[in-house]
Amino acid sequence: MPDYGSPLLFGTFITPANAQPEAPVALAVLSERLGFDLVTFQDHPYQPSFLDTWTLMSWVAARTERIHIAPNVLNVPLRQPAVTARAASSLDLLSGGRFDLALGAGAFWDAIVGMGGARLTPGQAVDALSEAIDVIRGIWNEGERAPLRIDGTHHSLHGAKRGPAPAHDMPIWIGALKPRMLRLTGRKGDGWLPSLAYLQPGDLQRGNAAIDEAALAAGRDPREVTRLANIGGQFARGSGGFLVGPPAQWVEQLLPLVLEDGVSTFILASDEADAMSRFAEDVAPALREAVARERGASGVDLAPVKRASVIALRREGIDYAAIPAELLAGAVEPGDNAYAKLRSTYMRGGSPGLVLRPRSTAEVVLALAFAREQPVALAVRSGGHGISGRSTNDGGIIIDLSALDAIEVLDEGSRRIRLEPGAVWMDVAAALQPYGWGLSSGDYGGVGVGGLATAGGIGWLARGRGLTIDHLVAVEMVLADGSVVRASAEENADLFWAVRGAGANFGIVTSFEFEAYDVGEVGFAQLAFDASDTAGFLEDWGAAVERAPRDLTSFLIMGAPRAGQPAVAQLMSVVDSDDPETVIERLQPLADLAPLLQQSVQLLPYAQVMANAQRGHHDGRGEPRSRSGLLEHITPAFAAAASAMLASGEVQFFQIRSVGGAVADVPADATAYAHRSANFSIVALGARAEELNRLWDGLAEHFTGLYLSFDTDLRPERLTDAFPVETIARLRVLKTRYDPRNVFRDNFNIV
Ligand SMILES: Cc1cc2nc3c(=O)[nH]c(=O)nc-3n(C[C@H](O)[C@H](O)[C@H](O)COP(=O)(O)OP(=O)(O)OC[C@H]3O[C@@H](n4cnc5c(N)ncnc54)[C@H](O)[C@@H]3O)c2cc1C
């Protein structure tokens, strides 16, 4: 019999007795302390002397930190499988991915019937378990958008909502004994969990053969099914038979179970602390050593096995076998548990063929080297809020930098900070607050450092403090050829110039150094106006903002007209002052613009203004349609044209952010972001690309350019809108030097 090459793990199997309810919990905590990988409990809730299994497992999860927890095995007929699925994924989410599921078709039928379960023949019980597995996996599959429908003999679901998915790729082990259950294990299980005490000589071999045969018939690799075993015994001086004797004898007797019968997880049934300690100290390490030695000699394949169901979903053009070993743990492909949470971005639905999640610059280099050789699209993702930048794709590779999310203070004196690209701006603001510092980024805290700090950064403090990139002092970057360089005013100065406005074209920034500045509390105002005279309101607001001192930055939002309601303009404005008088003085001219419908003005730490985003994964769908323009002044002609566009109903979201002020102090040729003279950045989102383009193109005469972060139009003219002639000429020369093969193209691409 083969050694399937799975990692060798050890667990405990503790009686959930309720006589001293703390006792099983204490043994679980001890299991973790002793280094066991897993703690398990039997599930017999009809037994009055036992604690309820789910309650106990939840309690144990809360009292431990590292060890995995599993039922041994869960009595499936007692609970609706959809409920079991959610209980399992909930506990997995709460415990940080430490729950594993082991299922049984049920035993002790009288007791089960007594608890409300149905009496089934053994054959029916296997079929019911098979359907239950389909239900559980279906509920976990939250990436599938259609509701779950299963028309089974024992379990039927008529459009159940999916999710949550477990935190980790949760296995389903099966407590099988008889041939039909063994075949089910081979077809659908991720593990076989028998108790050796119930097996006759030869049963292990026969069981493995049945499982392997069923697995192969189902197109699976038999190694997908981990072989576990509950074991029991006694430590004694002299030998008294199987697992009765000194630890060395245990090692000797367990070793062939690994090498010849493929068992890789041993679960010790014991409620004795001494026996658990002896096993952990004298058996497990010696067995590990012996197995490693034997496996080394036999050369058994120890590589992790991908499920056949995952392999079936692989996309063409990606050589999955060549993924560097260092990246395998974080590599996610369609069908993997984590895929649903990684495939899409905030604004865009995606179906990538592979997501790589490097954890260091060195791993970014490896990921890029791999991706460069694959003839598919490459996306770079930091916070996943890209609008123009496409940080997801269909069938391509994503280098996801979310694990690179450090926020560090390098030097308090000079306020020098280091940010990694996967950090998000609300966390940056929160980390700087204790120092009394800030760094203007954008208006939304969930946006990532990587995408924004390579493009510009039009934020709440823009007029007083400039763009985010205006405070950037150095970057570390992985270039298209895999070299890692530092760029600053002193080193690779031309690259540093390009990164500040067109960074996505030149490489992957793995670290940003900024100089933060003092920011205390700020005045944060949310004002809603009746903007029935939309053109007049836009014009007056623009003039008021331009007249205001630089400590006022104001953003205006309007939407499509709503039947029977006046046009509403919302202003979100920040006054960079903690003096209430100053705040009111700055806001009063805005409040006088039109009838106020709602108002709220607060003095808040800047970090609190930024704490406006939900955490969690992105679930964008479809493609955003967004257009951008940079404008010097809100002239009567522009205001009238914008008002007409809004009246068309084609634009669902229309925002004007004030720029100007300190942004314009920086010379146009100092950074690749060059449209410094604009006082306003305008964005419009619509559902229909053609209509939006037609309307927006009609406004073109008013614009001096566009901000590339907000425009999704792929027509080539957009490049010359984003960059003035001299800027684009210089960028083209640098692109040829730094990325001649245009590896970084799935963004506002310089060609
Ligand atoms: C709700 C919302 C609000 C916004 N508000 C503002 C705002 O107020 N002001 C403003 O200026 N912008 C704003 N933006 C635009 C935002 O700054 C850009 O979309 C930015 O690219 C998002 O960065 P990210 O890392 O989250 O995005 P991602 O989707 O991860 O990346 C977007 C693109 O940036 C490039 N990129 C990402 N990481 C790196 C890296 N490490 N090195 C090189 N290139 C990289 C890639 O081309 C990528 O496709 C907003 C966007 C959204 C969705």
Side-chain angles (χ1 to χ4, degrees):
M1 268 296 157
D3 171 1
Y4 299 93
S6 314
L8 190 61
L9 300 174
F10 300 99
T12 54
F13 187 7
I14 294 164
T15 312
N18 61 22
Q20 290 173 291
E22 261 301 308
V25 181
L27 288 175
V29 171
L30 177 69
S31 304
E32 174 165 89
R33 215 176 64 225
L34 290 171
F36 282 96
D37 304 289
L38 176 68
V39 56
T40 69
F41 303 96
Q42 53 182 295
D43 177 37
H44 297 295
Y46 31 73
Q47 185 62 268
S49 59
F50 282 0
L51 291 160
D52 169 69
T53 319
W54 280 111
T55 313
L56 173 61
M57 292 190 299
S58 305
W59 193 264
V60 165
R63 295 278 302 273
T64 52
E65 285 173 359
R66 179 195 56 78
I67 200 163
H68 276 234
I69 299 148
N72 192 347
V73 290
L74 201 76
N75 206 324
V76 172
L78 280 173
R79 305 170 184 95
Q80 290 281 354
V83 174
T84 296
R86 293 219 169 95
S89 53
S90 298
L91 188 47
D92 200 46
L93 290 166
L94 287 166
S95 66
R98 293 192 288 125
F99 184 73
D100 299 327
L101 193 55
L103 304 180
F108 308 107
W109 281 105
D110 290 343
I112 291 175
V113 172
M115 291 284 282
R119 184 183 294 281
L120 302 174
T121 65
Q124 288 171 329
V126 176
D127 292 342
L129 180 59
S130 174
E131 287 176 13
I133 292 173
D134 296 341
V135 171
I136 291 169
R137 291 230 171 91
I139 292 283
W140 287 349
N141 186 8
E142 69 177 357
E144 174 58 61
R145 295 192 165 145
L148 180 61
R149 292 182 195 282
I150 289 184
D151 196 11
T153 309
H154 305 276
H155 301 292
S156 293
L157 274 75
H158 311 287
K161 289 186 177 158
R162 307 208 187 227
H168 82 300
D169 204 355
M170 190 189 293
I172 296 183
W173 303 323
I174 300 178
L177 208 55
K178 304 264 173 60
R180 289 182 65 147
M181 278 286 271
L182 292 165
R183 288 199 294 275
L184 172 67
T185 307
R187 270 199 326 275
K188 293 191 178 171
D190 302 311
W192 178 32
L193 173 50
S195 291
L196 288 193
Y198 297 129
L199 298 187
Q200 304 298 322
D203 275 356
L204 216 41
Q205 292 85 338
R206 280 190 287 276
N208 277 331
I211 288 170
D212 294 356
E213 196 184 324
L216 288 167
R220 306 177 74 199
D221 183 333
R223 293 177 305 155
E224 289 181 43
V225 187
T226 308
R227 318 296 154 125
L228 308 94
N230 291 321
I231 56 170
Q234 222 178 313
F235 289 107
R237 253 195 214 144
S239 171
F242 184 68
L243 300 188
V244 178
Q249 180 194 317
W250 281 57
V251 174
E252 201 177 296
Q253 291 175 333
L254 292 177
L255 185 61
L257 293 181
V258 180
L259 303 177
E260 291 158 30
D261 299 314
V263 178
S264 57
T265 299
F266 292 103
I267 302 175
L268 177 71
S270 174
D271 294 323
E272 289 172 25
D274 275 358
M276 286 163 58
S277 305
R278 283 200 84 177
F279 187 90
E281 283 156 19
D282 299 335
V283 178
L287 186 59
R288 263 203 184 101
E289 215 170 277
V291 168
R293 197 174 52 239
E294 296 295 329
R295 281 180 166 176
S298 70
V300 63
D301 184 3
L302 300 176
V305 195
K306 268 284 171 199
R307 290 188 184 142
S309 55
V310 174
I311 291 172
L313 297 175
R314 287 185 161 174
R315 303 294 295 264
E316 226 169 278
I318 301 176
D319 182 1
Y320 292 88
I323 299 171
E326 296 85 336
L327 301 176
L328 277 178
V332 175
E333 34 181 303
D336 280 336
N337 177 65
Y339 185 74
K341 296 195 164 103
L342 291 170
R343 62 188 295 177
S344 298
T345 61
Y346 184 79
M347 304 277 282
R348 193 172 262 119
S351 311
L354 178 66
V355 183
L356 296 172
R357 292 180 292 172
R359 292 157 300 183
S360 63
T361 301
E363 288 189 3
V364 172
V365 172
L366 286 175
L368 181 60
F370 170 79
R372 232 177 16 220
E373 296 311 315
Q374 315 301 314
V376 295
L378 167 64
V380 176
R381 181 188 299 169
S382 289
H385 279 72
I387 301 172
S388 54
R390 282 164 173 72
S391 58
T392 188
N393 53 38
D394 181 11
I397 295 173
I398 297 172
I399 299 183
D400 178 314
L401 303 165
S402 53
L404 288 168
D405 63 350
I407 302 170
E408 280 180 71
V409 172
L410 295 178
D411 178 41
E412 278 204 45
S414 61
R415 301 193 195 87
R416 181 74 68 105
I417 60 168
R418 179 179 163 275
L419 307 180
E420 289 185 346
V424 296
W425 287 105
M426 65 181 173
D427 290 342
V428 174
L432 299 186
Q433 190 191 337
Y435 297 88
W437 305 342
L439 191 58
S440 181
S441 51
D443 61 4
Y444 192 62
V447 168
V449 168
L452 182 135
T454 46
I458 298 174
W460 289 125
L461 309 173
R463 290 184 73 237
R465 313 290 193 152
L467 300 174
T468 311
I469 54 168
D470 298 338
H471 302 273
L472 186 60
V473 284
V475 291
E476 177 194 74
M477 260 179 112
V478 180
L479 299 180
D481 66 1
S483 54
V484 180
V485 297
R486 194 177 151 86
S488 66
E490 290 80 36
E491 297 158 86
N492 299 305
D494 52 1
L495 186 60
F496 186 54
W497 171 84
V499 162
R500 289 172 293 160
N505 270 281
F506 289 90
I508 303 177
V509 179
T510 47
S511 174
F512 297 83
E513 281 176 39
F514 284 97
E515 253 164 43
Y517 33 80
D518 289 333
V519 177
E521 289 203 319
V522 297
F524 180 57
Q526 292 170 280
L527 312 177
F529 295 89
D530 178 339
S532 300
D533 172 13
T534 301
F537 185 83
L538 293 177
E539 198 188 328
D540 293 347
W541 172 75
V545 169
E546 283 196 51
R547 271 196 308 273
R550 289 178 170 197
D551 53 10
L552 174 86
T553 298
S554 185
F555 292 3
L556 175 151
I557 297 175
M558 292 189 73
R562 286 179 297 175
Q565 291 184 35
V568 174
Q570 291 185 51
L571 293 191
M572 309 232 269
S573 309
V574 167
V575 180
D576 188 3
S577 167
D578 59 5
D579 170 32
E581 299 297 323
T582 308
V583 172
I584 296 303
E585 205 177 300
R586 298 292 184 270
L587 293 174
Q588 195 57 52
L590 301 183
D592 294 340
L593 289 173
L596 258 179
L597 303 177
Q598 263 179 19
Q599 56 171 317
S600 144
V601 182
Q602 295 163 282
L603 270 183
L604 292 176
Y606 172 71
Q608 214 165 313
V609 179
M610 286 301 291
N612 55 8
Q614 295 264 332
R615 292 190 190 275
H617 69 277
H618 299 311
D619 196 21
R621 298 184 187 190
E623 267 291 306
R625 314 278 182 208
S626 175
R627 296 301 311 272
S628 157
L630 289 166
L631 189 70
E632 305 248 325
H633 310 289
I634 300 185
T635 59
F638 173 77
S643 167
M645 182 185 70
L646 282 167
S648 75
E650 282 293 334
V651 170
Q652 280 121 30
F653 179 86
F654 177 76
Q655 187 175 29
I656 310 184
R657 291 170 168 85
S658 50
V659 207
V663 177
D665 291 346
V666 177
D669 62 356
T671 62
Y673 180 105
H675 291 297
R676 296 277 178 176
S677 62
N679 281 305
F680 301 97
S681 161
I682 305 181
V683 63
L685 270 73
R688 303 193 300 171
E690 266 179 34
E691 285 307 299
L692 182 64
N693 283 343
R694 190 181 56 74
L695 289 166
W696 202 253
D697 292 348
L699 297 180
E701 61 179 289
H702 303 283
F703 298 135
T704 56
L706 65 79
Y707 176 37
L708 61 76
S709 276
F710 289 144
D711 207 304
T712 55
D713 186 15
L714 294 170
R715 288 173 292 173
E717 310 90 91
R718 295 296 81 80
L719 201 59
T720 42
D721 290 344
F723 304 107
V725 180
E726 307 78 41
T727 309
I728 187 75
R730 191 172 170 195
L731 284 170
R732 284 190 166 125
V733 171
L734 294 175
K735 179 78 174 174
T736 314
R737 187 183 326 154
Y738 286 106
D739 184 17
R741 282 173 55 196
N742 201 13
V743 171
F744 302 109
R745 59 177 170 274
D746 231 356
N747 52 54
F748 224 85
N749 195 210
I750 295 161
V751 283

